[in-house]
Amino acid sequence: MAGGKETGRQKMIGMMYMVLTALLALNVSSAVLEKFAIINSTLIDLVKDSGESNDKLVEAIEGSTVKSEVVDATKVKAKQVRELTKATLVYMDEVKVKMSTDDKGVALKEVIQDTHHADELMLNEKNGKGSSLALIYQKKLDKHVVQLNEILKFKEQFKLITKRAGDYPMFANAKQELKDQPYDAFAFHGTPTMGAIAYVTQQQTEILEV
């Protein structure tokens, strides 16, 4: 709904996240995890601000008194896009809650320093009843973009946000093994819990940017 390019703040936060991800890939000290917590907090604020901005934009569109088929069609599309976006964001929040709690729904005591819960949760096929939660997550985000393109029918369609390492210029010189990893492995394999949570929040900003 934003319909614009990334702000300087979004670019900066996105770059910081990718730098930390690269450092983790190089097995840098777990002290980096504290920085993920800070970035996640900032990203949450960004998600909130962007969500409120989009709500106001939809209200403005729906409040138009111009009588025309184009305006009426725009109102319908704006509402559909906003409802789709909100539903996807709610789902992503639920994924983050699962990452920050144990299998009994109790909050992890040391979520910032936890190095394995998100990995085990997202990549264990038993958790998704035959398909890992990571693959379900990927399909959900891919479906979001597909539905968005079906609603808007723009000539230049939005691309999927479930990118692999090889899709990022930052990893251009990385080992081919990393660049060839499927999305679910790149996103969550070996990713500390706080890093995984920040990653999902970062993807929420991408959803809102669209």
Side-chain angles (χ1 to χ4, degrees):
M1 279 301 300
K5 296 181 179 180
E6 283 186 296
T7 64
R9 184 186 184 199
Q10 286 175 302
K11 290 180 178 179
M12 178 187 71
I13 295 173
M15 181 59 69
M16 289 173 64
Y17 177 85
M18 293 307 300
V19 168
L20 289 177
T21 302
L23 290 174
L24 282 176
L26 295 173
N27 295 318
V28 171
S29 169
S30 61
V32 170
L33 299 180
E34 296 176 0
K35 309 308 182 295
F36 272 116
I38 295 173
I39 287 181
N40 185 61
S41 178
T42 304
L43 286 169
I44 288 174
D45 289 339
L46 184 60
V47 168
K48 180 181 178 182
D49 291 343
S50 297
E52 291 175 350
S53 176
N54 285 349
D55 283 336
K56 290 179 181 178
L57 178 58
V58 172
E59 289 176 5
I61 293 173
E62 293 181 335
S64 174
T65 57
V66 176
K67 302 297 182 181
S68 76
E69 291 183 2
V70 173
V71 172
D72 291 341
T74 300
K75 289 181 179 181
V76 172
K77 289 182 178 182
K79 184 176 181 179
Q80 289 177 328
V81 170
R82 193 69 189 115
E83 289 178 348
L84 172 63
T85 299
K86 284 187 174 181
T88 301
L89 293 178
V90 167
Y91 165 75
M92 297 170 82
D93 280 335
E94 292 172 349
V95 170
K96 290 192 291 183
V97 169
K98 289 181 179 179
M99 288 181 180
S100 60
T101 57
D102 61 23
D103 55 1
K104 296 181 180 179
V106 179
L108 298 177
K109 293 182 179 179
E110 299 293 338
V111 64
I112 294 179
Q113 296 300 324
D114 184 90
T115 59
H116 62 276
H117 179 65
D119 180 330
E120 295 175 355
L121 173 74
M122 298 302 289
L123 297 177
N124 189 334
E125 292 186 358
K126 293 181 180 180
N127 293 328
K129 297 181 179 180
S131 178
S132 71
L133 292 182
L135 287 177
I136 293 173
Y137 175 82
Q138 179 182 5
K139 290 178 181 178
K140 180 72 174 180
L141 266 58
D142 288 349
K143 184 178 179 180
H144 173 91
V145 176
V146 170
Q147 289 180 308
L148 188 67
N149 286 324
E150 289 176 348
I151 292 171
L152 297 175
K153 294 182 173 60
F154 289 160
K155 290 183 178 179
E156 184 176 348
Q157 297 196 327
F158 293 109
K159 297 180 180 180
L160 301 180
I161 67 172
T162 50
K163 302 174 184 176
R164 301 187 303 171
D167 297 322
Y168 292 96
M170 175 172 290
F171 293 102
N173 296 321
K175 293 181 179 179
Q176 195 63 39
E177 180 182 358
L178 173 62
K179 292 193 288 185
D180 289 343
Q181 276 187 341
Y183 171 78
D184 57 333
F186 169 64
F188 300 107
H189 178 64
T191 303
T193 299
M194 196 66 246
I197 291 173
Y199 173 71
V200 173
T201 307
Q202 191 272 334
Q203 289 201 303
Q204 286 181 310
T205 69
E206 292 188 58
I207 292 288
L208 283 165
E209 177 195 342
V210 174

